[in-house]
Amino acid sequence: MTTYLPTIKQLQYLVALQDAGHFGRAAEACFVTQSTLSAGIRELETLIGVTLVERTRRVVRFTPLGEKIADKARKVLREADELGDMARAAGRPLSGEMRMSVIPTIAPFMLPHILPRLRADYPDLKLFLREEPSAAACEGLQHGRTDCVLLALPYACGDVEIAPLFDDKLLVAFPEGETEGSREPVVAEDIDETRLLLLEDGHCLKDHALAACNRPELRGQASMLGTSLHTIVQMVDNGLGVTMLPQMAVDAGILKGTHITARPLDAERASRKIALIWRKASPRERDFRLLADVLSSMH
């Protein structure tokens, strides 16, 4: 008796549709036409004899069984990816494709420094980068959309392996003329909570800054409205408040051309730890540890 099994491509289409919630966006993510993706999912439904997706003009709704099968498809796709990982791990170190997510408060300041060195030292490595906040990066890691994540700790990212790279100090940034009378390094009690500007929710730097100050009232008083560090810097430069910046951003020149003074913060947890993380039991652990060593040596 012949058994017909779903193809990897059909499972990829199904997972992409669950992620996007829209046939057009799912097709773009898979680099196929919408009709190709829709036909692939219909073939899958015909193959297993059940309806996985309810289709209307406005909404794509998965059936309860469709949700379960899509979740199982993620695991199958991750296992399939690991077949390739096993083969790559047996070959040359840091070669082949690698998908790495990097959080926005690291990517623009660290990547321009490390990528030329990686290209020069490991020309066979094809590093595909994705910039996204910590929560999305960790979700992508657990679902197999990414292989490793460059992020800042502390941050709960599930059951992962962690390779700490270096500590990144937090600095307090003032508009020019507002530093008179303030102590150096800046003591957390000297920060005016009504003028503190932080990144909006979803950015772990906000939590690191609040934890460093150890002042519960800041969480309620601080203005959490910046979508990026560059936006926050422009606000501070225009006298709208003060903020906290990571040392790597200042070293990379984020304050160039501004009238902002950055001073160290005197606090018990006045830094964040930059780390590379990956799924436990990954067959490419050797590659990730080597990459962590390379990144650490570049600091």
Side-chain angles (χ1 to χ4, degrees), residues 29-60:
C30 294
F31 303 101
V32 297
T33 64
Q34 183 171 330
S35 59
T36 297
L37 183 132
S38 181
I41 292 178
R42 286 193 183 279
E43 289 170 2
L44 176 59
E45 291 175 320
T46 301
L47 179 66
I48 60 180
V50 295
T51 299
L52 302 176
V53 181
E54 297 175 4
R55 300 163 174 83
T56 67
R57 288 186 176 181
R58 295 184 178 180
V59 179
V60 173

Side-chain angles (χ1 to χ4, degrees), residues 15-16 18-20 29 74 77-78 81 98-101 128-130 132-133 135-149 279:
V15 167
Q18 187 186 47
D19 287 340
R74 290 185 189 277
L77 292 174
R78 185 160 47 185
D81 281 343
M98 182 182 292
R99 301 164 298 174
M100 182 168 73
S101 289
F128 294 94
L129 299 168
R130 184 186 186 97
E132 55 188 350
C138 289
E139 181 186 9
L141 182 65
Q142 299 302 335
H143 287 165
R145 294 196 302 270
T146 191
D147 302 312
C148 59
V149 178
R279 292 184 297 275

Side-chain angles (χ1 to χ4, degrees), residues 106-115 150 165-166 248 274 295:
I106 293 179
F109 314 115
M110 190 171 172
L111 293 183
H113 175 61
I114 65 174
L115 291 181
L150 186 59
L165 305 182
F166 57 88
M248 70 162 62
I274 308 304
L295 296 180

Side-chain angles (χ1 to χ4, degrees), residues 99-255:
R99 301 164 298 174
M100 182 168 73
S101 289
V102 189
I103 63 173
T105 57
I106 293 179
F109 314 115
M110 190 171 172
L111 293 183
H113 175 61
I114 65 174
L115 291 181
R117 167 88 175 269
L118 284 174
R119 282 196 297 268
D121 293 352
Y122 300 95
D124 293 331
L125 175 64
K126 296 180 180 179
L127 188 61
F128 294 94
L129 299 168
R130 184 186 186 97
E131 183 178 322
E132 55 188 350
S134 301
C138 289
E139 181 186 9
L141 182 65
Q142 299 302 335
H143 287 165
R145 294 196 302 270
T146 191
D147 302 312
C148 59
V149 178
L150 186 59
L151 84 174
L153 301 177
Y155 190 85
C157 205
D159 193 22
V160 296
E161 293 285 353
I162 300 173
L165 305 182
F166 57 88
D167 289 336
D168 188 28
K169 294 180 180 179
L170 295 178
L171 307 177
V172 183
F174 300 87
E176 190 176 64
E178 288 195 16
T179 57
E180 289 82 354
S182 64
R183 288 173 278 184
E184 186 173 350
V186 178
V187 179
E189 288 75 16
D190 291 345
I191 298 175
D192 182 354
E193 66 271 15
T194 65
R195 303 197 71 240
L196 181 59
L197 305 174
L198 296 175
L199 290 172
E200 61 187 6
D201 288 340
H203 294 273
C204 60
L205 181 61
K206 180 201 75 174
D207 296 319
H208 295 154
L210 292 172
C213 290
N214 196 24
R215 290 174 56 191
E217 73 275 14
L218 286 181
R219 188 170 292 276
Q221 294 290 332
S223 298
M224 300 173 195
L225 40 76
T227 56
S228 73
L229 286 182
H230 289 88
T231 301
I232 291 282
V233 164
Q234 292 303 311
M235 293 179 182
V236 174
D237 197 33
N238 280 278
L240 298 180
V242 302
T243 193
M244 290 192 209
L245 298 174
Q247 181 75 56
M248 70 162 62
V250 175
D251 291 344
I254 195 171
L255 298 183

